[in-house]
Amino acid sequence: VQLQASGGGLVQDGGSLKLSCTASLDIFSFNIMGWYRQSPGKQRELVAFVSTGENKQYIGSAKGRFTISRDRADNAMLLQMNSLKPEDTGVYYCAAVPFGETWYRTKDMNYCGRGTQVTVSS
């Protein structure tokens, strides 16, 4: 299984970016998909995830600013990020959990792709 994140870039404080994650399989063949962020000097952290039934969860500062979704037409998972802050800077990775696998927030997802760099300047 291959996952590929794209859409990162350099944006000013308060700006927006939209990340996309494509997969080598139908994205709806995954039970759970999510976005992680690794900021400089910090451990990778879960930002948001979407599970079967399109139940969405946001963690920490992502609440109210980020929107996760899955687009069937483009076979992509998206992350719309608004009101970006310098502390959102980092490499963003998309990840997925297949049906039949157990997952909880402190556990790595089964598949993780190459990340995309997001830099928010102050």
Side-chain angles (χ1 to χ4, degrees):
V1 175
Q2 294 184 345
L3 301 172
Q4 178 67 58
S6 62
L10 174 63
V11 64
Q12 289 188 332
D13 190 353
S16 298
L17 279 175
K18 190 173 189 176
L19 305 184
S20 177
C21 172
T22 54
S24 57
L25 301 177
D26 181 348
I27 59 168
F28 289 93
S29 69
F30 300 116
N31 184 23
I32 300 166
M33 295 188 76
W35 289 95
Y36 288 85
R37 173 177 65 218
Q38 184 154 23
S39 300
K42 295 185 178 180
Q43 288 188 330
R44 192 174 64 173
E45 59 182 340
L46 183 64
V47 173
F49 64 93
V50 56
S51 56
T52 298
E54 300 315 282
N55 295 308
K56 303 169 184 178
Q57 296 288 326
Y58 302 93
I59 290 83
S61 64
K63 295 177 184 177
R65 299 188 300 128
F66 295 2
T67 303
I68 189 171
S69 62
R70 290 195 287 186
D71 186 319
R72 187 177 295 276
D74 291 338
N75 196 43
M77 177 180 63
L78 308 173
L79 186 69
Q80 176 67 48
M81 304 187 294
N82 297 328
S83 302
L84 283 163
K85 306 173 184 180
E87 50 263 44
D88 295 318
T89 293
V91 179
Y92 284 71
Y93 300 86
C94 59
V97 181
F99 286 94
E101 292 286 341
T102 300
W103 178 79
Y104 41 89
R105 293 188 184 189
T106 55
K107 183 179 185 289
D108 285 341
M109 294 188 183
N110 298 74
Y111 308 116
C112 185
R114 299 179 68 176
T116 185
Q117 175 71 46
V118 172
T119 303
V120 185
S121 63
S122 56

